Amino acid sequence: MRDGRLPPGTRLPTVRELAGQLGLAVNTVARAYRELETAGVVETRGRFGTFVARVDPADAAMATAAHTYVSAAKALGIDKADAVRYVEAAFG
């Protein structure tokens, strides 16, 4: 989903369909769908099915983290270029 192969709003197979396609137990697929829904990656629209969520929960989390990081950098007197270098070093 995150790499764009399943864009937001894409309808996913039913639990039974996907279980059959993958050769998994229905309960296993149902649990995976529940966990994805809890994480905000998919949304269930009742009898209409399960869809890729319109908003990626990682976007909000990363925006919050970025704002926190920038606030800390500014408080320490670190400019943008140096702050970006720290991020690049953290990625290795």
Side-chain angles (χ1 to χ4, degrees):
M1 294 174 200
R2 190 159 284 139
D3 70 3
R5 285 187 247 172
L6 292 175
T10 300
R11 186 175 185 277
L12 301 177
T14 67
V15 169
R16 290 189 189 282
E17 288 171 5
L18 188 57
Q21 291 172 11
L22 300 175
L24 296 172
V26 171
N27 287 339
T28 301
V29 174
R31 180 176 177 180
Y33 273 23
R34 280 193 306 273
E35 289 182 17
L36 289 169
E37 186 170 21
T38 298
V41 177
V42 301
E43 50 193 33
T44 300
R45 299 180 195 160
R47 62 187 173 141
F48 297 107
T50 302
F51 298 80
V52 175
R54 296 186 193 287
V55 178
D56 185 344
D59 289 342
M62 289 305 298
T64 299
H67 286 287
T68 301
Y69 179 73
V70 169
S71 294
K74 287 180 178 179
L76 294 168
I78 296 172
D79 66 13
K80 180 180 176 180
D82 288 335
V84 170
R85 279 194 282 277
Y86 281 108
V87 171
E88 288 172 345
F91 272 103

